[in-house]
């Protein structure tokens, strides 16, 4: 079975984020760089994204990342 290649749209759908978020992750070095750049844009091997996503710190810790919107300080 040939390697499955995912474009930015497919990666975004898999992650549940907007395509612009995928591009931001790449530009910030927060996800693997594309495995290939084709005339239609960047693509990744599906296994590259699955492995990265499985091992993302935010996936292991759960909840929003520190400094993210929606995180509030509470004072009792």
């Amino acid at each position: 079975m040939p390697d499955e290649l995912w474009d930015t749209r497919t990666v975004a759908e898999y992650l549940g984020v907007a395509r612009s978020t995928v591009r931001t992750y790449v530009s910030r070095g927060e996800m693997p760089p594309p495995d290939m750049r084709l005339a239609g844009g960047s693509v990744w091997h599906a296994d590259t994204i699955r492995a990265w996503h499985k091992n993302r710190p935010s996936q292991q810790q759960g909840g929003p990342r520190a400094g993210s919107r929606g995180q509030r300080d509470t004072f009792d």
Side-chain angles (χ1 to χ4, degrees):
M1 182 169 136
D3 272 345
E4 187 178 3
L5 295 175
W6 288 1
D7 61 7
T8 301
R9 179 185 53 81
T10 306
V11 172
E13 288 174 1
Y14 178 78
L15 299 175
V17 300
R19 286 181 282 176
S20 61
T21 301
V22 172
R23 290 189 293 269
T24 298
Y25 287 169
V26 172
S27 70
R28 292 181 180 172
E30 295 176 1
M31 69 176 281
D35 290 309
M36 288 183 266
R37 295 187 191 275
L38 305 175
S42 300
V43 294
W44 293 260
H45 293 285
D47 288 342
T48 299
I49 298 301
R50 287 185 189 115
W52 165 76
H53 185 61
K54 179 181 174 183
N55 294 306
R56 288 174 66 190
S58 63
Q59 297 303 309
Q60 294 172 354
Q61 296 169 1
R65 293 185 202 166
S68 68
R69 292 182 195 154
Q71 184 173 354
R72 298 180 181 172
D73 292 327
T74 57
F75 300 97
D76 294 319

